[in-house]
Amino acid sequence: MLEQFVAVMPGTLAPALLVMSLSVMLTVGEGRDKPISSHWRLIGLTVGLIAAITFAGLRASAVINQRTFVNYPVLWCAIIADILTIVVVVFARRITTNWQQHKVFMHIANAVAAIDIALTLFYALPDVILQLTIWVEPGDPIFTSDMLLRALGFALGLAMSIIVAAIFRTMRSTAVRASFTAAVLAVLAILFVRHLTGVMQILQARGFPIGHTGFVALAWSINHNDWMIMAQAFVFLIPAVASVVAGFRMPLTGANEAIGRKHKAFRRRAVASAVWSLVAMIGVTLTLTVGVAATHQTITLSPPEAYSLKDSVATIPFSQVEDGHLHRFEYKAKDGTVMRFIIIRKNGGAYGIGLDACENCGDAGYYEKDGKIICKKCEVAINLATIGFKGGCNPIPFPYKTGHGKITIQTTDLDALSAHFR
């Protein structure tokens, strides 16, 4: 249950905060006084959710096995939408005030918000939805206590994201407008960074040169993703504090008792919203620290496998590595350096072969998780199709031959690369 909870809550919190934030910033009027475009955000939410469910289904059924083919253009569009949405939020007050006098700007703002919501949901939710596929372990009966616990964890993770967003929304009537706007802008800025990280991760996996500084920034962003999620919640301390300060600045006594009662009610609401917001932030923090730590174990590389080494030739039969999983081998170079190399059968029958090291992260090595090959140091998922090619965080390639049911490697080629393991 805990695994599903800590996987679902972080994946749904950002979309929930985005929907809530734009609802607060762009909502105007009631009934007939509302612009027709106010429904576009709901349409964006619906379209994004349906698209995410469809994409997750295609991935689960292996109809689509290269998600980057879809995510890459989506992320570029999301980045543009994030920037436009930031502009909309900056001018939200002008747009919503007397909006009937400039309806076109109101419609443009709602259209931008709807597009950003749809793209964010489409990118963020498929991995969350795929958690549904592991409610039942292979070979287990469908209805078991473990399945029910996993389902409960999924539901609680989703519910917590919605509740956290709803709690922050209560500050809309007590927070100083500028403070709430600042929090929303921070949420959007962090969302932009996360989308940009996704694009850079795909470019790096494709061998696009991003430079050392770019790679360090990418690795930092990936490794601190949980911190950025927590930051999206903690930025609402700004309106929470502003609400309490505004409430305590209001005089409770005066000639007009009605105003005094109104000020007391405002103060109570401000304090209650701030307290519950703090509780929500603590809940998010505990989920992403204690909860994640409880479900993650230290990654250890799998032990090296045996192979034939004769006359300076390493030989590995196809039958040993044709299962599509990562296979690790060890070799002691002539200079005494202990080296590792990996082999994995790729789609189409080709083999991905390279050192268990890369130019960026050194000899940290790779491990397999959920069908992905991941760099142990920077946690970047390696595109299987690019293993065997130079660039980025890909395993360092070396010459080899295939034929007659086996893979052969000249040890002299390995000796020449021993410096990567010193």
Side-chain angles (χ1 to χ4, degrees):
M1 180 177 77
L2 184 59
E3 291 182 359
Q4 274 68 46
F5 179 80
V6 300
V8 170
M9 195 285 289
T12 55
L13 182 60
L17 291 178
L18 176 65
V19 172
M20 178 277 297
S21 298
L22 295 179
S23 173
V24 172
M25 300 304 298
L26 295 177
T27 293
V28 292
E30 296 291 340
R32 293 182 179 180
D33 293 331
K34 294 178 67 175
I36 188 172
S37 60
S38 63
H39 301 290
W40 294 354
R41 297 192 304 274
L42 178 59
I43 294 174
L45 175 65
T46 304
V47 170
L49 182 59
I50 293 174
I53 293 173
T54 303
F55 186 39
L58 294 174
R59 284 174 54 189
S61 60
V63 173
I64 294 178
N65 53 21
Q66 292 290 332
R67 62 176 179 171
T68 57
F69 177 77
V70 176
N71 282 343
Y72 185 65
V74 168
L75 280 169
W76 275 117
C77 293
I79 287 172
I80 295 172
D82 290 337
I83 295 173
L84 294 176
T85 304
I86 289 174
V87 174
V88 165
V89 170
V90 169
F91 294 99
R93 183 146 196 160
R94 295 183 182 180
I95 294 172
T96 55
T97 301
N98 298 323
W99 66 269
Q100 295 92 341
Q101 298 177 10
H102 42 259
K103 294 181 181 180
V104 63
F105 292 109
M106 191 75 232
H107 297 331
I108 291 174
N110 279 319
V112 169
I115 292 171
D116 201 26
I117 289 171
L119 291 171
T120 298
L121 286 171
F122 179 73
Y123 176 69
L125 292 192
D127 287 339
V128 173
I129 296 169
L130 286 174
Q131 292 292 319
L132 296 168
T133 64
I134 59 176
W135 281 4
V136 181
E137 296 290 347
D140 288 351
I142 295 179
F143 296 104
T144 63
S145 58
D146 287 341
M147 182 277 289
L148 294 176
L149 287 175
R150 295 187 190 105
L152 180 60
F154 184 98
L156 288 176
L158 178 60
M160 181 172 177
S161 293
I162 296 173
I163 291 172
V164 168
I167 289 174
F168 292 155
R169 193 177 191 276
T170 61
M171 292 185 287
R172 71 191 186 281
S173 61
T174 58
V176 178
R177 172 86 181 198
S179 66
F180 201 95
T181 300
V184 172
L185 288 173
V187 168
L188 291 171
I190 295 171
L191 186 64
F192 169 81
V193 171
R194 295 179 67 191
H195 287 159
L196 182 62
T197 298
V199 168
M200 297 303 294
Q201 193 172 354
I202 294 173
L203 290 174
Q204 190 271 343
R206 292 180 175 180
F208 184 84
I210 62 175
H212 177 72
T213 301
F215 181 81
V216 171
L218 173 62
W220 184 92
S221 181
I222 294 173
N223 292 332
H224 291 81
N225 183 59
D226 288 348
W227 289 97
M228 286 192 282
I229 296 173
M230 285 188 283
Q232 286 184 304
F234 271 91
V235 295
F236 285 94
L237 275 174
I238 300 172
V241 172
S243 297
V244 174
V245 171
F248 277 91
R249 283 183 174 178
M250 291 181 174
L252 301 182
T253 58
N256 193 323
E257 292 185 4
I259 294 178
R261 289 194 298 269
K262 183 178 180 181
H263 289 177
K264 286 182 181 180
F266 181 94
R267 181 181 294 184
R268 286 196 300 269
R269 292 198 308 272
V271 172
S273 295
V275 170
W276 279 110
S277 296
L278 184 60
V279 170
M281 295 170 199
I282 293 173
V284 172
T285 302
L286 291 176
T287 299
L288 293 172
T289 53
V290 178
V292 170
T295 58
H296 284 67
Q297 298 178 350
T298 302
I299 300 297
T300 56
L301 300 180
S302 60
E305 302 178 21
Y307 62 98
S308 172
L309 183 59
K310 185 178 180 181
D311 297 330
S312 299
V313 177
T315 303
I316 299 98
F318 288 165
S319 58
Q320 185 176 350
V321 294
E322 65 181 3
D323 57 3
H325 292 290
L326 178 69
H327 295 267
R328 195 183 324 274
F329 303 89
E330 193 173 270
Y331 167 71
K332 188 173 184 179
K334 283 187 176 182
D335 61 8
T337 302
V338 177
M339 307 174 61
R340 303 185 309 274
F341 60 95
I342 59 174
I343 300 177
I344 183 170
R345 188 175 187 270
K346 301 190 288 187
N347 296 332
Y351 288 90
I353 301 177
L355 296 184
D356 195 21
C358 73
E359 297 287 356
N360 293 320
C361 299
D363 61 355
Y366 303 87
Y367 66 94
E368 182 178 353
K369 181 181 179 182
D370 299 330
K372 302 174 185 175
I373 305 304
I374 302 173
C375 174
K376 182 181 177 182
K377 183 175 181 179
C378 67
E379 297 293 328
V380 168
I382 308 302
N383 187 343
L384 280 181
T386 65
I387 295 180
F389 297 92
K390 292 182 178 181
C393 210
N394 286 334
I396 297 170
F398 55 81
Y400 64 91
K401 293 182 180 180
T402 59
H404 306 290
K406 60 186 178 182
I407 299 169
T408 56
I409 302 168
Q410 298 293 327
T411 58
T412 53
D413 293 323
L414 295 175
D415 292 333
L417 298 172
S418 63
H420 293 288
F421 290 87
R422 293 175 186 169

